[in-house]
Amino acid sequence: MDDLSTPTGREAALVAVPAEDGTPPRVLVLGATGYIGGRLVPRLLAAGYRVRVLARDTSRLGAFTWGADVESVQGDATDAEAMAEATADVDVLYYLVHSMSAGAAFEDADRRAARTVADAAAGAGVSRIVYLGGLHPEDAPLSAHLRSRVEVGEVFLASGVPTLVLQAGVVIGSGSASFEMVRHLTEVLPYMPAPRWVRNHIQPIAVRDVLHYLLGAAKIAPDVNRAVDIGGPDVLRYGQMMNGYAVVAGLPQRAIAALPVLTPRLASHWVNLVTPIPRSIARPLVESLQNECVMKDHDIDDLIPPPEDGLTSYRHAVRLALGREQEDRVETSWLDAEVLGVPSDPLPSDPDWAGRTVFVDARSAHTSAPQEALWRVIEGIGGANGWYSSPILWAIRGWMDRLVGGIGLARGRRSRERLQVGDALDFWRVEALEPGSFLRLRAEMKVPGLAWLELRAVAEENGSRYEQRAVFFPLGLAGRLYWLAVLPFHGFIFSGMASRIAATAEMDVEASAQPVTVTR
């Protein structure tokens, strides 16, 4: 955690204040594996707090550099028993959980989770709740998602536990969904027909400034129980944000035409097709832009002074985000958020397949490259490197998934070279990883069944062997018909993939062995 960007948590104004007996305060973070939570936890540790996290799958914590430094409780925010265990002896609770699902049920789920957490915090004697909500106007109809976030804040404020609700608008940082939407819309479209909300005023905030306020919230006066707005120094129209990005990225200014016919639903479909953001995430983002969202006051300054060097301007936040991506140092990303409605169960072990219908496609290829060279190719698969076979067929499959509301291939990967358990990889998710030898991916594309892809590097006497296995558990007749329909394409895709990965490993070894010629 020595390479944390600002704020690091070690700033004098943010360092934890021990109890009278010298014990560091304990904080509980809900949403620790998310975009904001994954950045907040290491800074809380650096600030001197004892950190506990609640996670549905605690094995995912091992993918984070801070995973071994925190206490963990398995469960979710709707589980009263898990919440009672998680809140025991906790001083400050951070609630960074937001539903991004569609349909009417998510509001009930958000309300139920908030009430469960509020009851557990009150019962355990938690001293403070910190909730990151959404910036919104006071007297205007709100979208369902923004309305739900407001209601969650109200539940905590009425809980009897002193609560600080930080209401933020568009968050700009490397890997944030809001930033990626601005970025891809600007880069892909030289001319953009856009909804009327591109003319609305909004107040973006850099992710580093959000983290500053979250860290500072743990130290405010114990009697504060209120909601406050937070935002950066710039108030912009959404169209100005896009062209501000263009200036920083060295692109021409974009012509933007506001159209009255693009409803939030149509606009989210448009964003889904043009950017990597799936429709399930694009819809609430688009809906949150229907109103002008600007800070109503600066009361936050009386509770948490701004950073010593001042708040980060929008263009500087864009420069920082692009710099982190170019350096391949993105801490957390929307890519790694769980995709609702897709399978999350791990691949059963082979003996558990007995009596079940399962289809398997297994391939292998020998290469003269050593195991470590072969593994480098395997670990770098997907994203910009592609899948080493039939790029047109892979692209078609990705677009088919996007057209039915899936995530498609455009999601890419967070790091160009490294993978961790839980990472997103195009329309796959890293389910299991044994560095140097084994990678298992779980499908998150829309298919009538459950699918996995396993890639393995095995050392041999004269090089190594690449092993590849696709496993598919069909769901009913549709699943069986799907497998039969794609079976002919597997002959091109999977066989070519095996041979090309093995060949690429050999070429990389040969290239690294070539002498470097220096000309004078």
Side-chain angles (χ1 to χ4, degrees):
M1 295 185 294
D2 293 334
D3 61 344
L4 291 175
S5 59
T6 303
T8 65
R10 302 183 185 94
E11 292 83 357
L14 304 178
V15 172
V17 178
E20 292 182 0
D21 62 359
T23 304
R26 175 181 279 113
V27 300
L28 170 65
V29 180
L30 306 186
T33 59
Y35 178 71
I36 297 292
R39 299 186 182 212
L40 177 63
V41 168
R43 289 165 173 81
L44 286 169
L45 291 168
Y49 292 95
R50 293 177 293 166
V51 179
R52 180 183 295 160
V53 304
L54 179 77
R56 281 192 290 267
D57 181 7
T58 54
S59 66
R60 278 198 65 187
L61 302 177
F64 293 88
T65 56
W66 45 261
D69 300 321
V70 301
E71 306 170 36
S72 64
V73 175
Q74 187 152 322
D76 62 45
T78 61
D79 184 341
E81 186 175 338
M83 282 307 310
E85 179 184 354
T87 52
D89 195 28
V90 162
D91 299 292
V92 180
L93 185 156
Y94 284 93
Y95 193 87
L96 306 174
V97 178
H98 299 305
S99 171
M100 299 295 275
S101 63
F106 81 89
E107 289 188 79
D108 290 336
D110 281 352
R111 187 181 306 113
R112 186 169 64 255
R115 288 174 176 169
T116 302
V117 171
D119 290 345
V126 172
S127 300
R128 170 155 307 285
I129 295 174
V130 180
Y131 170 56
L132 183 61
L135 192 61
H136 63 279
E138 288 294 344
D139 301 316
L142 302 178
S143 70
H145 283 87
L146 194 50
R147 184 173 64 242
S148 180
R149 293 177 72 175
V150 172
E151 183 182 6
V152 167
E154 291 172 346
V155 169
F156 291 141
L157 290 169
S159 67
V161 178
T163 296
L164 183 66
V165 178
L166 297 172
Q167 299 177 150
V170 173
V171 177
I172 302 299
S174 58
S176 81
S178 298
F179 172 70
E180 291 300 321
M181 193 165 87
V182 170
R183 173 188 176 188
H184 283 87
L185 287 173
T186 308
E187 291 185 348
V188 172
L189 301 172
Y191 171 81
M192 180 180 172
R196 285 176 295 185
W197 48 254
V198 295
R199 294 176 176 169
N200 287 346
H201 288 95
I202 51 181
Q203 194 163 357
I205 182 170
V207 65
R208 57 173 50 199
D209 292 336
V210 174
L211 293 170
H212 169 84
Y213 286 125
L214 286 170
L215 288 163
K219 299 178 63 175
I220 64 173
D223 60 339
V224 174
N225 186 63
R226 60 170 303 188
V228 290
D229 296 343
I230 60 173
D234 302 312
V235 175
L236 305 167
R237 298 182 190 272
Y238 197 83
Q240 291 177 313
M241 287 178 58
M242 293 177 62
N243 276 319
Y245 173 87
V247 170
V248 175
L251 301 172
Q253 295 284 286
R254 287 351 193 187
I256 301 172
L259 304 179
V261 295
L262 281 178
T263 64
R265 184 172 182 273
L266 290 175
S268 64
H269 279 288
W270 175 243
V271 171
N272 176 61
L273 291 174
V274 175
T275 79
I277 310 296
R279 194 165 63 221
S280 61
I281 295 178
R283 180 73 179 266
L285 287 178
V286 168
E287 288 179 342
S288 69
L289 299 170
Q290 298 302 298
N291 305 107
E292 295 205 344
C293 292
V294 178
M295 293 177 66
K296 297 177 287 294
D297 53 53
H298 287 268
D299 290 356
I300 183 63
D301 294 343
D302 298 328
L303 301 175
I304 307 171
E308 189 173 325
D309 295 331
L311 294 168
T312 310
S313 70
Y314 170 70
R315 291 193 183 184
H316 186 48
V318 170
R319 279 191 290 270
L320 291 170
L322 289 176
R324 299 289 283 186
E325 292 190 352
Q326 290 167 0
E327 296 170 2
D328 198 18
R329 295 178 59 205
V330 178
E331 285 185 64
T332 57
S333 172
W334 73 269
L335 301 176
D336 300 324
E338 294 183 3
V339 179
L340 295 165
V342 302
S344 58
D345 292 337
L347 176 67
S349 61
D350 290 12
D352 294 337
W353 295 358
R356 300 181 62 176
T357 300
V358 59
F359 299 114
V360 178
D361 184 300
R363 313 272 174 168
S364 66
H366 175 79
T367 174
S368 60
Q371 182 184 19
E372 57 269 23
L374 177 58
W375 175 251
R376 283 195 295 270
V377 179
I378 292 174
E379 192 174 21
I381 202 167
N385 290 330
W387 293 86
Y388 294 96
S389 70
S390 306
I392 293 177
L393 293 178
W394 280 98
I396 291 173
R397 183 63 185 89
W399 274 106
M400 289 172 59
D401 194 51
R402 300 284 281 180
L403 288 172
V404 296
I407 51 182
L409 288 175
R411 183 168 61 167
R413 49 185 290 164
R414 176 163 53 91
S415 170
R416 292 189 294 269
E417 298 178 353
R418 300 176 301 279
L419 287 178
Q420 299 175 346
V421 172
D423 277 0
L425 183 56
D426 292 334
F427 47 39
W428 306 91
R429 176 80 59 179
V430 178
E431 180 178 281
L433 179 69
E434 297 174 12
S437 63
F438 177 70
L439 171 66
R440 179 190 296 142
L441 306 173
R442 183 182 70 245
E444 291 190 336
M445 77 283 280
K446 291 184 176 292
V447 293
L450 308 174
W452 291 266
L453 180 63
E454 295 181 336
L455 314 177
R456 191 185 299 271
V458 181
E460 292 190 332
E461 185 175 350
N462 298 315
S464 58
R465 184 175 73 258
Y466 171 73
E467 296 180 350
Q468 171 183 297
R469 185 172 73 156
V471 180
F472 183 66
F473 287 74
L475 181 63
L477 177 61
R480 290 165 172 80
L481 293 176
Y482 169 81
W483 180 264
L484 292 174
V486 299
L487 195 58
F489 299 102
H490 286 177
F492 297 103
I493 293 176
F494 288 143
S495 63
M497 185 174 166
S499 59
R500 285 295 301 159
I501 286 177
T504 300
E506 290 183 8
M507 289 188 292
D508 288 350
V509 171
E510 292 174 1
S512 63
Q514 293 294 322
V516 178
T517 302
V518 179
T519 58
R520 296 182 181 274

